[in-house]
Amino acid sequence: MNGYGARGGIMGEIDIGDAEIAFFKDNGYLAIDRISTDEELGWLGEIYDRLFAERTGEAKGLFFDLAGPRGHEGTESLPQVLGPDLTFPELRESLYFRNAKRLAAKLLEVEALAHTGGHMILKPARFGAETPWHQDEAYWNPSEIPQSLSVWMPLDPATVESGCMHFVPGSHREDVRWHRHIDDNPLIHGLVTDDVDTSRAVACPIPPGGATFHHCRTLHYAGANTTDRARRAYVIIATAASAKRSVPAHRPWLNDEREAVAKANIDVEVF
Ligand code: NI
């Protein structure tokens, strides 16, 4: 199979079976063509647009440009909102959120999740920057080994031209690679890892309301948005238990960012 599956029933009940779970285990990603309903997408889109229009949480560091330096707000090419469910707790009751949690637990093969959070990433029309190759775990606490995956749902068509997800199958079995900040600028939150064998990468175009799942170590990328329409995506990160490392992993890029933000006197919390 090609990683596209899922059975949609009435009232937006979505399920995956053993074949999808096995595919995820082997490849570190999965794409499905439905996780929410068109009606819910309309409602989510209103909340989404409001959060970005109002730059919600900017003073607390919850709204920023993933691809641009902190302290230069106003021309974001990859704006994102962290924790939208903190502002709108009803998001956690959405079909999307509930389906994401249930399917994530199945894919992680656990009874229950320890933590779920989310963020929204916008690629503006004709201007949205690429999200370079990275592993999500490179952003996270080096003292932990998380058992975690991300659910990524577009609210607009996700195509190669608008910035759909690309994955390197099987890369979730590798260790966390060396990462650096985009443009080697630690004031830019976004990370990149070099020397990825992109000949093995698989693009996953999906319709609005579809979803991709990827393990926190799966190498992934999303291209720039060259289309005339914004590409909105809502990501839910689902974490089962995390194990403690006896020795923290060496991830100096995390400290570099904290130090650069402090030195530049930018008054935001760095997540
Ligand atoms: Ni990522």
Side-chain angles (χ1 to χ4, degrees):
M1 65 180 277
N2 60 8
Y4 293 78
R7 294 182 293 278
I10 51 163
M11 301 297 286
E13 285 172 24
I14 304 291
D15 206 2
I16 53 173
D18 292 344
E20 284 87 7
I21 295 168
F23 184 93
F24 181 82
K25 208 169 184 171
D26 285 346
N27 294 283
Y29 76 94
L30 177 73
I32 64 176
D33 57 16
R34 228 349 128 173
I35 194 168
S36 180
T37 61
D38 289 345
E39 188 187 3
E40 182 168 273
L41 285 184
W43 171 71
L44 286 173
E46 285 173 24
I47 292 178
Y48 193 107
D49 293 345
R50 191 168 148 193
L51 286 163
F52 281 87
E54 295 178 359
R55 306 169 72 89
T56 305
E58 186 167 20
K60 291 187 225 161
L62 296 172
F63 174 98
F64 61 93
D65 187 5
L66 191 66
R70 305 225 192 219
H72 292 81
E73 287 81 6
T75 53
E76 296 85 7
S77 60
L78 209 53
Q80 70 167 300
V81 170
L82 303 182
D85 54 302
L86 304 175
T87 308
F88 292 100
E90 58 267 44
L91 289 172
R92 298 187 73 86
E93 304 306 319
S94 66
L95 202 54
Y96 170 46
F97 213 103
R98 287 182 287 126
N99 278 333
K101 278 173 71 172
R102 191 166 42 79
L103 299 184
K106 275 194 169 187
L107 292 172
L108 291 169
E109 298 178 281
V110 294
E111 287 293 316
L113 298 166
H115 180 75
T116 46
H119 60 248
M120 293 168 163
I121 307 182
L122 173 64
K123 285 193 198 269
R126 298 178 300 279
F127 185 64
E130 70 165 11
T131 314
W133 286 101
H134 68 278
Q135 294 161 299
D136 292 337
E137 195 180 332
Y139 284 94
W140 299 350
N141 185 344
S143 298
E144 293 182 352
I145 303 173
Q147 195 186 350
S148 178
L149 63 75
S150 290
V151 190
W152 186 95
M153 180 184 77
L155 281 72
D156 304 291
T159 62
V160 169
E161 295 75 24
S162 75
C164 71
M165 294 288 271
H166 299 238
F167 303 104
V168 176
S171 53
H172 62 305
R173 291 201 195 86
E174 296 170 21
D175 207 344
V176 176
R177 292 164 144 248
W178 183 263
H179 284 65
R180 60 187 177 82
H181 290 275
I182 293 172
D183 294 344
D184 292 313
N185 182 348
L187 287 176
I188 299 178
H189 186 61
L191 296 174
V192 53
T193 187
D194 299 306
D195 305 321
V196 173
D197 179 6
T198 55
S199 68
R200 295 170 49 221
V202 177
C204 286
I206 48 171
T212 62
F213 300 79
H214 65 271
H215 184 269
C216 58
R217 289 200 179 174
T218 304
L219 279 163
H220 58 286
Y221 162 92
N225 183 5
T226 59
T227 72
D228 291 335
R229 177 173 173 171
R231 195 237 59 194
R232 298 169 294 173
Y234 183 7
V235 184
I236 290 171
I237 299 178
T239 306
S242 292
K244 278 273 172 213
R245 285 178 185 267
S246 49
V247 179
H250 185 51
R251 292 178 196 155
W253 51 88
L254 298 175
N255 279 339
D256 291 350
E257 180 175 356
R258 269 188 211 98
E259 281 170 18
V261 167
K263 203 171 158 191
N265 248 329
I266 300 166
D267 186 23
V268 296
E269 197 171 334
V270 176
F271 293 93

